[in-house]
Amino acid sequence: MNFLTMRPAWRHVTVALMALLMLGACKTTREPSSSSPATTSSAPAGSMDRQPSQQPMTATSASGIIPLDPAVRTGVLPNGMRYYVQQNAKPEGLAELRLAVNAGSMQEADDQVGLAHFVEHMCFNGTTNFPKSDLVDYLEGIGVRFGAHLNAYTSFDETVYMLRLPTTDAEKFNKGFQILEDWATAVSFDPEEIEKERGVVISEWRTRLGGDNRLQMQILPKQFYQSRYAIRLPIGTVANLETFPHDRLIQFYKDWYRPDLMSIIAVGDFDPAEMEAKIKASFGQIPARKGPEKTIYEVPAHEETQVAIAKDAEATFNRVSVMYKHPRQEVVTEQDFLRDLTYDLVNLMVNERLDALTQSENPPFSSAGAYYGRMVRSKDMFGMDAYVTDSTAASGMGALYRECLRAARFGFTESELARAKAAVLAQLEQQFREKDKTESRRIATQYVGHFLNGTVVPGPEATLRLAEAMLPQIDSRKTNEAMRFFMSSSSRVVVISGNEKPGYPFPSEAEILSVLNKISAEELEPYEDNVSDAPLMPVLPTPGAVSSRSVKEDLGITELTFANGVRVVLKPTTFSNDEILMEAFSPGGHSLVSDQEYLSAAMAIEAITAGGVAGFDNIQLSKFLSDKVVEISPYINELSEGMEGSCAPKDLETFLQLVHLYMVSPRPDEGAFRSMQARMQGLYANLMNNPEIYFQFSIPNSLYNGHPRRDVVKLYQGMSEVDFATAERVYRERMGNAGDFTFVFVGNFEVAAMETMLAKYLGSLPGKPGKESFRDVGANAAEGELKETFRKGTEPKSLVNLVYHGDLAWSGENRYLLQSTVAVLNIMLRESLREKMGGVYGVGIRGSAQRDPKENYSITINFTCDPAMVDSLIAASHEEIASLIANGPSEQNLAKVKETQKKGVEEGLLENAFWLEQLTYAYEYGLDASKILTQAQRIDALQAEQVKAMAAKLFAEHYAEFVLKPEE
């Protein structure tokens, strides 16, 4: 699926083989990133993404070609460079710029392995106009945050640079724009910087080491059978990264960073004519260059099924996958659009079935999904994937294959098709309603896809109109034909990967093929669609009365209190046309239960919501909500309980009904809980085999002196000890009394209409007088100095966590100073550990101040490194902290932090999520919410001496040092 967002029930449709491809992409950022763009990532709203064309369903005519969104200005400069320019007002005063290079690791020669990605790194290490660190210093100085506003990635076939710049200051914009031009033609490749960056890139390589990486290396030769893709992972090899000559790096840049292989994309709050002229003037003067002809490398077809059986003692999960490779199919014409729309419907329907099977009484797998979409430039794929337990590799794969085969053999029911059509239409309608409030970064990403892959970008309105015209043309014959096509290719790959244990051997290749052949010969039964047509609430509640109402004009908020005690904070906005966000909270949480009941209380939400709500089990509820834009998640944490969620304004009543029902009419179902319990036990059985998870899970147990409520391992592996009756009791106790709940709503609504609905669904909730509170459970961090080294794993890789904690008077001022101190130290550690020493890819640092259950703070510094550098990197961290305490922040670093903070506040004040977070925090802690509006003044007033004094406080109390090293 490419042009709409999947509903929650189908979110785990991440095929394992696609996940492996994502591991192939490399991302350059000054902070580590949890994921990397890759050739399998979905296109954003208003675009369709799939390419070269074999026509299994419909003939493509020369007419009916889908044009680009008329809002974009596009053209080709005389030197061959393509450009896209579109005015877009969100965010205000900002522009999203992209430099897309149509070359990646597939263009590397054998002695250049890893250098496409290395070039990407060098773009941040000096250009003609920004020597060495000047580029980074300048961007940080104007409030550009790495990772969020500045980033890049290299994948098999492409390299993309991303930059956000302010458009309200011409000088800043023009200087930042120069960076984009420099990346295209003027990277300096300073020899000293190249040598320093070797360590950084090797550190990035090191972060990927482990069981999952070793599994990938076993799978790639089968997945990309006889293809160059199997030997060109963008990260490269450490042998080449350590030894490549500088000239081979520079040659890659000269060969492939040339105008005919590049595009400039600019989307944002600017005059489009001026921006187009600027691009022509700046980039048009770059001389055209000849270079090697770019080859689109094939993934050859194969008649025999390729089977990969990958095993590793550190594997976290057991997975089974079946993939069918197909030639790419382009989306150029309206008939191509019809074909892709049909494929998207099939994706939805298949995954709805797999989701239902996952929630059955004896689930054959922990989770499963299937997807037809792009594999790489020259290939599409249909993949099915499941997570299985130690003992169910063969049976889980069989159940997955059987369900997809059932769909291919018998097709889909009319009710399934109607539901999928409604879901697609609902998402496209939402995207259309948000067309003037779409973030510039999303639009820019579409044009990157158009340049690199030919992704059609007709725009939200044209996409909706095409879908409205074509959905009626799609009948069960077309979807059934599509599903048969998905599984028709002879180029099949089967993968079983994970942790093979004594007594639970993986099936052999012959056994795997025998299972598939046996299922292919079975007499299957058609699928029966179990759906309820009952209303969510057959009887609507009697509205409750409002006991008080007040308005805060400066903040634009209305406060309501109902007779049952429910308090509501309403902030109507126009930041988004089709979004309402909600956060609800109440004090108490599972702190109020005994340690003996803690595990059951901590799992109460999962246990009870597994059964659904009111008259709907979870499968029926997902089907009921399939055409609605509604998400809701109840929670119970240690000190509070509540809900968070969002909806489109048209679905507000359904959303509020769900809020009401989750509090008043949960649907406890022990059978559904046992099914969920079995899935989680199977999924988490091997977690502790992963050295990194073992390390992160072990730290709280050590830091909190073995307190039972900090034993994360027990929480994940102790599912069999959860008592369902206790879980249900805790759920009803915590969620059943609305009298001390506060609900915060932010988004596009009218207060009067909202009040009427709230009276019906929140004012009618049962509420008891009085306010509850939480309990201090006595989980106190170890005092003094604590050092502990853990040994696990075989790779040359260490993880380091440094924890500073102690008492701190809780106040808004102290919280702000703590965060500012952390931000300054983050820059210092990055410059020292990464830029100077080349010892890490990134440094993570986070800090927080707590009021409850007692006033304290904690700061954690973490990084991954070579085991031989652990001591020197820890020592360097301590030196930077000592420097901050002795000297305070440099004028430059303090200015960077303040500018970034101010930009964050300026942008946040125009975002629903920012207001929801800020208002929730203010009301939960009894703060003056009007201070949300004065944050810029507080930032302006920040002084170096304040940071210096706070650093002296934060790093002078208790210290814990945790290090993971390989086994000896």
Side-chain angles (χ1 to χ4, degrees), residues 292-303:
E293 183 178 350
K294 184 179 178 183
T295 302
I296 301 297
Y297 291 95
E298 291 294 323
V299 179
H302 47 85
E303 288 298 319

Side-chain angles (χ1 to χ4, degrees), residues 813 816-817 820-821 824 894 897-898 901 937-947:
E813 181 66 15
Y816 173 64
L817 289 175
S820 299
T821 304
V824 168
L894 184 63
V897 167
K898 292 173 70 170
Q901 290 175 344
Q937 292 92 308
R938 180 172 65 181
I939 294 168
D940 285 334
L942 179 64
Q943 300 295 318
E945 284 301 317
Q946 294 175 289
V947 175

